């Protein structure tokens, strides 16, 4: 039992630290997931949940930092009993979210491990039950964990350092791009190729007759079998990008966008877009249009024509603009506005508005 307790203690601490750091890698993505929960709760329990929506990024940093800090405190066995009680509150909270998502099919991905590991709602819920099981073992057998690795002022110093590092990691990622990009639009990926299946999709047909279900690899000619559902046998071969589309008043521009050298300014929404860097952005656009690399500049936005027209006049932005879905733009880059460099559909560079490159940096990538 002593060894089992120590294994559970180690697993619980490491998983909490890992989960928190993965969320800290992309706090904007975690905040978007929290916004989704707030919207669902506002619809089901009361409109007052919408009050928390503007503070999603703050909650993102606080919750993910707390996971890291509690994981470190657990591994150091610092104030072990109190640490375990706070861990229990967090586990119950996360367990409620994942169960609610799974039972009522409200949020299809809880974001437990960010975009690094995608979990279905029920998988997420059983993961939380597993962690709760680890917690029970550790809590009931604290007598086997009497040795504290950091007591007194030393323990306070370690926890303070862990808190500063955890919060610092998240805050920096919030003001720049994620340290590691796990989204389909990461640097090096070709958008056009990811919009196609990597190999032909294969399906099975689930048919039903007299209460009996049977799978067929080919659609049965026997009309006594009634169609129930069609299931992909190799879903991993399907397109990784299914919703990318760009258009303007003249029609679809998706395929044209994926040709040649393109410098995109992505304005997810004008109401929350930072306006302080547009002098640098406009200078970069002017230099790109004069480049020998034949770089064409354009803007993608999900805002309405009227809202964007007022915005571009306000920031003196002179470039052709096109429309795209808001969710797609948020997946393309975690910055509003943000810059993306494409070469024949391949992502060559991505830039937060705090890290606007020079034309020399752009040309080197091409």
């Amino acid at each position: 039992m002593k060894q089992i307790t120590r294994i559970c203690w180690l697993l619980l601490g490491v998983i909490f630290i890992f989960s928190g750091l993965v969320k800290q890698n992309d706090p904007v993505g975690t905040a978007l997931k929290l916004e989704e929960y707030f919207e669902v709760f506002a619809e089901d329990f009361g409109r007052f949940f919408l009050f928390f929506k503007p503070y999603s990024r703050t909650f993102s940093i606080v919750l993910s930092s707390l996971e890291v800090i509690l994981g470190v405190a657990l591994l150091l066995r610092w104030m072990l009993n109190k640490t375990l009680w706070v861990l229990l509150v967090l586990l119950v909270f996360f367990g409620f979210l994942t169960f609610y998502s799974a039972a009522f099919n409200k949020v299809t991905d809880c974001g437990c491990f960010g975009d690094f590991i995608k979990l279905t709602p029920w998988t997420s819920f059983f993961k939380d039950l597993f962690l709760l099981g680890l917690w029970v073992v550790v809590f009931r057998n604290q007598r086997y964990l009497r040795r504290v690795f950091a007591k007194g002022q030393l323990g306070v110093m370690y926890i303070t350092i862990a808190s500063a590092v955890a919060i610092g990691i998240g805050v920096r990622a919030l003001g720049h791009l994620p340290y590691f990009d796990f989204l389909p639009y990461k640097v090096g990926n070709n958008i056009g190729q990811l919009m196609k299946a990597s190999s032909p999709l294969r399906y099975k047909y689930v048919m039903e007759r007299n209460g009996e279900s049977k799978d067929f690899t080919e659609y049965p000619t026997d009309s006594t079998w009634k169609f129930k559902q069609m299931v992909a046998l190799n879903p991993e071969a399907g397109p990784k990008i299914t919703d990318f589309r760009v258009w303007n008043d003249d029609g679809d521009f998706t395929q044209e966008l994926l040709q040649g050298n393109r410098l995109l300014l992505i304005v997810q929404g004008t109401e929350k877009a930072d306006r302080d860097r547009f002098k640098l952005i406009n200078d970069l656009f002017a230099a790109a249009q004069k480049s020998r690399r034949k770089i064409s500049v354009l803007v993608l936005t999900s805002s309405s024509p009227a809202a964007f027209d007022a915005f571009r006049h306000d920031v003196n932005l002179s470039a052709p603009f096109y429309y795209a879905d808001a969710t797609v733009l948020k997946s393309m880059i975690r910055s509003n506005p943000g810059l993306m460099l494409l070469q024949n559909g391949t992502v060559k560079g991505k830039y937060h508005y705090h890290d606007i490159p020079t034309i020399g940096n752009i040309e080197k990538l091409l």
Side-chain angles (χ1 to χ4, degrees):
M1 198 63 216
K2 185 176 183 180
Q3 294 302 319
I4 291 173
T5 302
R6 288 179 174 177
I7 291 172
C8 292
W9 156 76
L10 182 63
L11 276 175
L12 191 60
V14 169
I15 290 174
F16 259 85
I17 293 173
F18 175 73
S19 175
L21 288 176
V22 168
K23 292 187 183 75
Q24 292 284 54
N25 174 68
D26 183 11
V28 175
T30 304
L32 292 173
K33 190 60 60 178
L34 288 174
E35 288 181 9
E36 193 175 348
Y37 274 113
F38 290 144
E39 289 172 357
V40 167
F41 290 159
E43 184 178 331
D44 292 353
F45 300 116
R47 303 292 294 175
F48 68 90
F49 275 102
L50 294 178
F51 170 80
F52 301 109
K53 192 175 176 181
Y55 308 102
S56 296
R57 295 191 178 189
T58 302
F59 285 128
S60 169
I61 296 292
V62 170
L63 284 175
S64 51
S65 298
L66 188 59
E67 285 188 78
V68 175
I69 296 165
L70 289 173
V72 171
L74 182 63
L75 292 183
L76 292 175
R77 302 176 187 173
W78 181 75
M79 300 181 66
L80 183 59
N81 191 60
K82 292 181 179 178
T83 297
L84 285 170
W85 279 112
V86 179
L87 275 173
L88 178 62
V89 172
L90 214 56
L91 283 171
V92 171
F93 172 70
F94 288 144
F96 166 74
L97 291 183
T98 54
F99 175 77
Y100 188 79
S101 299
F104 300 99
N105 196 31
K106 292 290 185 177
V107 181
T108 55
D109 173 25
C110 73
C112 302
F113 297 117
D115 291 291
F116 178 57
I117 302 175
K118 293 284 190 178
L119 299 178
T120 64
W122 280 118
T123 304
S124 301
F125 175 64
F126 289 124
K127 179 266 299 179
D128 289 332
L129 288 183
F130 170 72
L131 292 177
L132 191 58
L134 296 180
W135 182 91
V136 170
V137 173
V138 174
F139 184 79
R140 295 185 63 181
N141 296 281
Q142 294 180 55
R143 62 186 181 278
Y144 298 128
L145 303 171
R146 290 176 180 171
R147 182 186 174 189
V148 179
F149 297 109
K151 297 180 180 180
Q153 291 184 345
L154 183 62
V156 173
M157 183 182 71
Y158 283 162
I159 296 301
T160 302
I161 293 173
S163 302
V165 170
I167 295 171
I169 289 172
V171 170
R172 191 194 181 283
L174 195 62
H176 301 272
L177 294 182
Y179 302 95
F180 303 97
D181 194 347
F182 301 113
L183 295 165
Y185 300 92
K186 68 181 180 180
V187 173
N189 280 6
N190 185 283
I191 297 174
Q193 291 178 0
L194 293 179
M195 292 171 67
K196 303 174 184 176
S198 57
S199 61
L201 288 172
R202 295 178 288 107
Y203 298 93
K204 68 177 181 179
Y205 302 94
V206 183
M207 311 297 289
E208 192 174 43
R209 183 175 65 183
N210 299 328
E212 175 194 1
S213 291
K214 186 176 180 180
D215 296 343
F216 294 86
T217 55
E218 293 184 4
Y219 200 90
T221 57
D222 187 348
S223 61
T224 60
W225 288 100
K226 302 300 181 183
F227 176 79
K228 190 175 181 181
Q229 63 176 327
M230 185 170 67
V231 180
L233 295 174
N234 56 338
E236 70 285 348
K240 304 299 184 293
I241 297 176
T242 59
D243 49 4
F244 181 76
R245 180 174 170 263
V246 175
W247 71 91
N248 63 6
D249 293 338
D250 296 326
D252 190 86
F253 190 72
T254 307
Q255 293 306 315
E256 288 87 343
L257 180 72
L258 302 178
Q259 298 172 9
N261 297 329
R262 306 277 189 179
L263 180 58
L264 314 181
L265 175 66
I266 298 171
V267 181
Q268 297 166 7
T270 57
E271 67 282 354
K272 293 184 179 180
D274 183 274
R275 300 173 185 235
D276 297 335
R277 304 302 194 283
F278 271 90
K279 174 65 168 65
L280 292 173
I281 292 172
N282 290 332
D283 290 344
L284 176 62
F285 270 23
Q289 290 171 325
K290 298 175 183 177
S291 173
R292 294 180 179 179
R293 296 288 184 180
K294 297 181 179 179
I295 305 171
S296 61
V297 299
L298 54 93
V299 183
L300 298 184
T301 184
S302 63
S303 295
S304 67
F308 186 76
D309 191 58
F311 174 81
R312 69 189 183 94
H313 281 96
D314 186 42
V315 298
N316 297 316
L317 180 62
S318 178
F321 59 94
Y322 299 83
Y323 303 105
D325 180 75
T327 302
V328 171
L329 296 182
K330 290 173 184 177
S331 297
M332 290 178 72
I333 194 164
R334 302 299 202 202
S335 176
N336 185 26
L339 290 164
M340 178 179 284
L341 180 65
L342 299 180
Q343 185 176 53
N344 295 322
T346 298
V347 181
K348 304 296 288 186
K350 295 170 69 171
Y351 306 93
H352 193 279
Y353 62 79
H354 285 149
D355 305 304
I356 297 170
T358 64
I359 188 60
N361 296 136
I362 294 291
E363 290 177 335
K364 284 180 183 178
L365 293 175
L366 297 174

